[in-house]
Amino acid sequence: MTHLPYRRAAVLCALAILAAGCGQSAGSGRDGAGGPATRVAGQGGAPPTPSGPGPAPSYGVTPDTLPPDASDGPRYGDLTGPEVPERPAEASRDCRGKKGVLVEPGPVDAAMGLRAMTVTLTHCGTGTYRLNGYPDLRVLDADREPLDVRGLKGTDEITTGMRDPGPHPVALAPRQSATVAVVWRNTYTDTTNPAVHAPHLRVVAGPGAPARTVTPHGGIDLGSTGRIATTAWTKFTPA
């Protein structure tokens, strides 16, 4: 066999690669066994780029790593102040089978420790029923005995976000109503005494008026504050 000089052999091999390939083509993407080519990182280039989307990366903690007593945190609805619930519908002012003064509690709205409730007085008698100012409130226990809770006339000591019309004359014809907003907080800071959670509220609409006891749904949770406040009576006008 005649040996070609090294340089001439290299030139001939290069020509052969261009014409028909010399050994394995660099761009064929196939290995000698006919399978897909595999590029190894650090041996001739960068790692291959995945052809399709891979699994999404996970961040933070997973449910399995949370402590068993972990809460869901505050709801966004709990971060707003309470609003006085809507005034009673016309149907709630029905005096059939009732005489005198009817006093009814509305639903309690709660947010961030502040509570608000509408109390409605309906005149189920004859003539004109007159109001002027604030009702007298007494918080009662399960036996309907009064608790050591101050009833405040005006709501500024509880919250400054409540509109109080102040004392003014209110004249009710039969089946007409007046309302007040009752507010309190359930803050509990005195751990030496149990928190106050009373079921009943006694309402005296004004001097000489008969006492009426209402039982709000959920009761009155005063914590350790010892205070409950009311706005002045205002006439209810249906929308």
Side-chain angles (χ1 to χ4, degrees):
M1 179 181 291
T2 305
H3 295 281
L4 298 175
Y6 175 79
R7 180 172 297 180
R8 184 178 179 186
V11 172
L12 291 176
C13 184
L15 293 175
I17 290 173
L18 293 175
C22 181
Q24 173 65 39
S25 170
S28 65
R30 312 288 292 182
D31 61 12
T38 303
R39 187 184 296 273
V40 181
Q43 297 183 8
T49 301
S51 58
S58 59
Y59 301 99
V61 296
T62 62
D64 291 339
T65 62
L66 292 173
D69 58 345
S71 68
D72 293 333
R75 297 184 299 273
Y76 286 109
D78 293 338
L79 302 180
T80 61
E83 297 180 358
V84 178
E86 293 183 2
R87 290 178 175 177
E90 188 74 20
S92 69
R93 300 167 61 238
D94 189 354
C95 285
R96 285 178 297 181
K98 304 178 180 68
K99 295 181 180 180
V101 174
L102 175 65
V103 177
E104 301 170 291
V108 177
D109 186 74
M112 296 295 286
L114 182 61
R115 310 292 193 246
M117 173 180 69
T118 297
V119 173
T120 303
L121 179 149
T122 303
H123 176 30
C124 293
T126 59
T128 301
Y129 192 88
R130 301 184 185 279
L131 297 165
N132 191 341
Y134 300 88
D136 182 61
L137 304 180
R138 296 299 301 270
V139 177
L140 309 180
D141 64 13
D143 297 323
R144 305 205 173 203
E145 294 296 328
L147 297 173
D148 186 18
V149 175
R150 284 193 302 143
L152 305 176
K153 299 183 188 315
T155 59
D156 285 349
E157 289 190 40
I158 305 294
T159 176
T160 57
M162 186 69 62
R163 178 182 175 274
D164 182 1
H168 63 283
V170 175
L172 302 178
R175 299 188 62 188
Q176 288 188 331
S177 300
T179 62
V180 294
V182 177
V183 295
W184 67 93
R185 290 189 180 273
N186 76 331
T187 308
Y188 181 55
T189 56
D190 182 8
T191 57
T192 61
N193 293 299
V196 173
H197 197 142
H200 308 295
L201 180 68
R202 180 178 294 159
V203 180
V204 177
R212 295 289 186 265
T213 299
V214 299
T215 304
H217 179 71
I220 302 171
D221 52 341
L222 292 166
S224 58
T225 60
R227 299 182 301 176
I228 189 168
T230 176
T231 61
W233 290 108
T234 186
K235 190 171 184 177
F236 167 59
T237 303

